[in-house]
């Protein structure tokens, strides 16, 4: 976990989280970079694609859910203390950072934006499942698991922090309704998070694609190409 791949030469910075266990080169290999190539060439956006840490944390079914969440701190610290300063220096203040991702990367984008809206005021989340306790989780859930489960901590937001978040962050939740969107829990999870954010008055847009749109890279390429131009 030390890789950052940059794509583009200038424009609004976009931090791209790969799918489960993916690496910094996944967005390019899977065609996500070429899908928004016109934005990169025009200097409207610049992608910063990062490695995942999922094998050591959320996807490690040999350890309890609380330990997975505790290990996620390492990834969180790397993103906030090393990757974000690099992006800010490299982009020369070209604009606020967008967080984006697909599948498990969508969870990361939403979680980082909701916890650190001062850094990521916008998240583009494609086909995410936002409830880590449902990911073959076992063992007692503690504070770390709670504060990395948007369906838990958003439900308890209130007061001044909630008021601040309402004016600071926007979450775009995109999901198909085709193959694997149900078995991965992505369709249900996307609807649940959208409903929760709406109930709290946090800016959220729910965009459900058709029943012929599966949980797969061709879908995410189309969704990314459709939505990113709106924000760059």
């Amino acid at each position: 976990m030390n890789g950052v791949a940059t794509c583009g030469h200038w424009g609004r910075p976009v931090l791209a989280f790969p799918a489960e266990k993916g690496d910094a080169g996944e967005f390019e290999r899977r065609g996500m970079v070429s899908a928004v190539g016109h934005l990169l060439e025009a200097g409207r956006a610049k992608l910063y694609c990062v490695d995942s840490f999922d094998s050591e944390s959320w996807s490690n079914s040999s350890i309890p859910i609380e330990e997975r969440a505790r290990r996620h701190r390492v990834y969180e610290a790397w993103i906030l203390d090393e990757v974000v300063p690099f992006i800010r220096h490299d982009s020369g203040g070209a604009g606020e950072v967008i967080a984006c991702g697909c599948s498990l990367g969508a969870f990361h984008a939403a979680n980082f934006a909701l916890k650190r809206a001062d850094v990521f005021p916008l998240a583009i989340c494609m086909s995410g499942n936002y409830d880590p306790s449902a990911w073959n989780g076992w063992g007692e859930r503690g504070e770390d698991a709670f504060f990395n489960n948007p369906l838990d901590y958003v439900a308890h937001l209130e007061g001044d922090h909630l008021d601040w978040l309402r004016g600071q962050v926007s979450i775009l939740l995109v999901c198909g309704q085709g193959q694997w969107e149900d078995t991965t829990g992505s369709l249900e999870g996307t609807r649940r998070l959208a409903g929760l954010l709406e109930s709290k008055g946090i800016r959220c847009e729910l965009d459900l694609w058709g029943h012929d749109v599966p949980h797969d890279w061709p879908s995410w390429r189309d969704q990314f190409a459709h939505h990113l131009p709106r924000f760059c």
Side-chain angles (χ1 to χ4, degrees):
M1 184 197 65
N2 57 6
V4 181
T6 61
C7 305
H9 61 91
W10 192 249
R12 185 167 185 182
V14 181
L15 174 58
F17 293 98
E20 185 175 10
K21 301 180 183 179
D23 60 27
E26 185 173 53
F27 257 53
E28 185 166 15
R29 291 195 306 272
R30 296 291 190 170
M32 298 291 281
V33 173
S34 61
V36 295
H38 62 294
L39 299 179
L40 305 182
E41 293 168 7
R44 292 173 56 185
K46 184 170 183 178
L47 299 184
Y48 297 83
C49 307
V50 294
D51 285 339
S52 72
F53 191 60
D54 305 324
S55 295
E56 299 297 324
S57 57
W58 299 113
S59 299
N60 188 347
S61 59
S62 69
I63 57 177
I65 193 69
E66 181 67 9
E67 178 60 24
R68 297 183 215 180
R70 192 173 297 119
R71 292 188 182 187
H72 173 72
R73 289 186 200 169
V74 175
Y75 190 58
E76 185 174 71
W78 177 64
I79 293 292
L80 295 174
D81 297 340
E82 297 186 42
V83 176
V84 169
F86 167 72
I87 291 174
R88 286 175 169 163
H89 174 76
D90 184 68
S91 66
E96 294 176 315
V97 182
I98 298 172
C100 78
C102 40
S103 193
L104 189 52
F107 159 79
H108 288 304
N111 193 39
F112 271 98
L114 289 165
K115 291 175 66 176
R116 291 300 306 269
D118 56 319
V119 178
F120 306 106
L122 171 65
I124 301 173
C125 312
M126 297 165 282
S127 298
N129 182 327
Y130 306 97
D131 183 6
S133 67
W135 304 343
N136 298 314
W138 59 276
E140 184 176 350
R141 297 169 60 199
E143 187 172 285
D144 282 292
F146 177 87
F147 284 108
N148 282 291
N149 187 327
L151 296 177
D152 282 341
Y153 65 76
V154 170
H156 290 81
L157 289 172
E158 58 185 21
D160 291 342
H161 182 65
L162 176 56
D163 289 339
W164 174 81
L165 203 59
R166 286 169 174 159
Q168 181 69 23
V169 74
S170 296
I171 308 293
L172 171 59
L173 299 172
V174 188
C175 192
Q177 299 179 78
Q179 191 176 25
W180 306 307
E181 293 289 31
D182 53 351
T183 55
T184 59
S186 298
L187 182 56
E188 178 187 359
T190 296
R191 286 172 168 157
R192 286 180 64 195
L193 182 57
L196 179 57
L197 293 172
E198 183 179 4
S199 73
K200 288 292 183 175
I202 297 172
R203 284 178 296 189
C204 172
E205 179 182 348
L206 174 62
D207 182 22
L208 296 182
W209 289 39
H211 294 278
D212 58 341
V213 179
H215 185 99
D216 204 357
W217 289 101
S219 306
W220 302 328
R221 288 195 294 268
D222 290 344
Q223 292 162 0
F224 197 40
H226 175 74
H227 282 292
L228 187 59
R230 299 168 50 197
F231 307 108
C232 299

